[in-house]
Amino acid sequence: MDEFTISIPRERPFTAVAGLVLGGIAARHEVTLDVLDDLQLALDALLENDDEDGREIAVVLRVDEGTIEASIGPVDQATATELQQERGEGLGLRRLLETVVDDVALSERDGGSWVDLRKGYAVAGSER
């Protein structure tokens, strides 16, 4: 399993770096564009939803045979609360994430809340 960790400031211009890193890793592992788009949408939604308070946010990407996992955190309390609520009728953060990735989980570690995402994929050009 390959693991990549980046820490970025929460300011909007820096969140694009996370997307670029994700794109590079996905290309290296021959992830299809559809899966990459879903992961980038999930990552963008999380980073845009999170309150800018001056702290850095970490993005840990793990790639294994057929699976990409991303852990993002620590996220602010409002984001954690929104993800703990029941899925409503509107298009909230939780519903968006559950639509584009296979698994969404909220965990506590390192003194804060982290969002764990998992998405399965088939290698581009293969028939799985």
Side-chain angles (χ1 to χ4, degrees), residues 53-73:
D53 64 358
R55 296 179 300 145
E56 286 190 341
I57 193 162
V59 179
V60 181
L61 299 168
R62 287 177 291 287
V63 183
D64 203 0
E65 181 87 23
T67 304
I68 296 180
E69 297 173 357
S71 294
I72 300 96

Side-chain angles (χ1 to χ4, degrees), residues 15-88:
T15 60
V17 173
L20 291 172
V21 170
L22 175 60
I25 292 167
R28 184 173 151 202
H29 288 82
E30 299 182 28
V31 173
T32 63
L33 287 176
D34 289 341
V35 171
L36 176 59
D37 285 345
D38 287 348
L39 287 168
Q40 285 184 322
L41 179 60
L43 185 59
D44 287 346
L46 265 172
L47 294 175
E48 286 181 15
N49 189 71
D50 201 57
D51 190 23
E52 297 179 35
D53 64 358
R55 296 179 300 145
E56 286 190 341
I57 193 162
V59 179
V60 181
L61 299 168
R62 287 177 291 287
V63 183
D64 203 0
E65 181 87 23
T67 304
I68 296 180
E69 297 173 357
S71 294
I72 300 96
V75 296
D76 65 11
Q77 189 58 44
T79 300
T81 300
E82 185 172 347
L83 290 173
Q84 289 171 335
Q85 294 175 353
E86 290 296 317
R87 186 172 167 176

